[in-house]
Amino acid sequence: MRSGAAIMHNPIHPTGPLPTRSTAIARIAWSAEQVRRGLPAFTRTTDPAWFESMDEGWSLVCQFHASPREQGSPSVAQVSFLEPNAPHERLVRGATLNLFERSTRQLATVTIIE
């Protein structure tokens, strides 16, 4: 090996690059119970989310420019999957996910808008 040459090591994918993470803009419609109890005051959260089947769940990171409490329902957030191997390519306009609400144990509806 030449002096100064670097070896790139990827412990998850030792033979290739990391998958590309994508972000999307989403509208989150909170459950009626969450609205009744009060919307969250945080501006970032990571919670379980599912597409149509609850057999395929992923940790969804939601970054709000203003808290849901300030925005109301629906709220707008930048969203991405936490895991590098999640199906990032599915975060496209019109895709819908169910997001677990911690305080109510109900589901919010996440719709990708951009």
Side-chain angles (χ1 to χ4, degrees), residues 42-62:
F42 50 68
T43 57
R44 182 181 171 93
T45 187
T46 302
D47 291 299
W50 301 265
F51 287 100
E52 303 81 34
S53 169
M54 290 192 74
D55 294 338
E56 184 184 12
W58 300 97
S59 295
L60 188 69
V61 179
C62 301

Side-chain angles (χ1 to χ4, degrees), residues 39-95:
L39 295 175
F42 50 68
T43 57
R44 182 181 171 93
T45 187
T46 302
D47 291 299
W50 301 265
F51 287 100
E52 303 81 34
S53 169
M54 290 192 74
D55 294 338
E56 184 184 12
W58 300 97
S59 295
L60 188 69
V61 179
C62 301
Q63 180 71 49
F64 300 92
H65 69 280
S67 73
R69 185 171 292 167
E70 294 173 77
Q71 292 187 56
S73 183
S75 304
V76 175
Q78 182 174 349
V79 299
S80 62
F81 290 120
L82 182 64
E83 294 84 8
N85 294 323
H88 300 277
E89 70 281 358
R90 293 181 67 184
L91 293 178
V92 295
R93 182 184 293 229

